[in-house]
Amino acid sequence: MSPHSGITLKGGLLTLRPMLSADHEALYHIAADPLIWEQHPERTRYMPEVFARYLESAMASQSAFVAIDNISGEIIGSSRYYNYDPATGNIAIGYTFLVRRCWANGYNKEMKCLMIDHAFTFAKTISFHVGSHNHRSRKTVEKTGATLYKTLQNEVEYRLAEEQWIQNAGYRPADRP
């Protein structure tokens, strides 16, 4: 069991709770929109068999969340922690997707903030792996204060240290209201 499984994170716009197998239908209903994946390296994730593999790995990770809109109570997307290395204190945040109506209006930012704040209660650095051509996701990650760490064939990796996060967010995670 990892230090980040089984937790619920609540913000003003959304709540992140552990993913359940009962969430699969609602998540696929969102993910079936091909426009969600148009900048993603795996552009066919809207297809049922491809998305089924994604959900299987999410459940196996034991650190995947569903995002629930605090007003409507509807599932609006998902994200997860992965690749936690206790020896280095690094963890990755990603595999994020949101229903399009929640784009560009604070939901993704709040999701990242909640996950970053929690991650810094046990991790030293956070990685974000983003498709090289996924400009929407890259822009969101850059707004956290994360900096480009390395470029791979089809993706880039950003890293965020707690000091960068404090400087960018203006508070320590424990001080967050």
Side-chain angles (χ1 to χ4, degrees), residues 2-3 25 41 53 70 101 108 120 127 132 135 137 147 164:
S2 62
E25 186 176 327
R53 288 192 303 271
N70 286 344
R101 72 173 173 80
N108 195 8
F120 281 132
S127 292
S132 299
H135 303 291
S137 293
T147 53
Q164 292 169 287

Side-chain angles (χ1 to χ4, degrees), residues 134-145:
N134 190 338
H135 303 291
R136 287 189 304 259
S137 293
R138 290 183 70 168
K139 185 176 176 182
T140 299
V141 168
E142 289 167 0
K143 286 180 181 178
T144 68

Side-chain angles (χ1 to χ4, degrees), residues 3 5 20 30 57 61 109 114 118 158 161-162 172:
S5 60
L20 306 170
I30 296 163
S57 71
S61 77
K109 179 181 178 184
L114 290 169
H118 177 69
Y158 289 87
E162 186 173 14
R172 297 188 58 78

Side-chain angles (χ1 to χ4, degrees), residues 109-124:
K109 179 181 178 184
E110 184 171 272
M111 183 185 309
K112 295 273 189 293
C113 288
L114 290 169
M115 293 180 74
I116 290 168
D117 279 353
H118 177 69
F120 281 132
T121 65
F122 61 88
K124 294 179 183 170

Side-chain angles (χ1 to χ4, degrees), residues 1-9 18 61-65 81-87 89-92 114-125:
M1 201 58 93
S2 62
H4 45 274
S5 60
I7 60 152
T8 296
L9 306 171
S61 77
Q62 298 184 0
S63 58
F65 295 98
Y81 294 116
Y82 62 100
N83 290 352
Y84 179 51
D85 182 354
N90 184 261
I91 193 163
L114 290 169
M115 293 180 74
I116 290 168
D117 279 353
H118 177 69
F120 281 132
T121 65
F122 61 88
K124 294 179 183 170
T125 58

Side-chain angles (χ1 to χ4, degrees), residues 17-32:
R17 67 149 170 82
M19 183 184 289
L20 306 170
S21 58
D23 299 324
H24 292 192
E25 186 176 327
L27 288 168
Y28 180 68
H29 180 74
I30 296 163

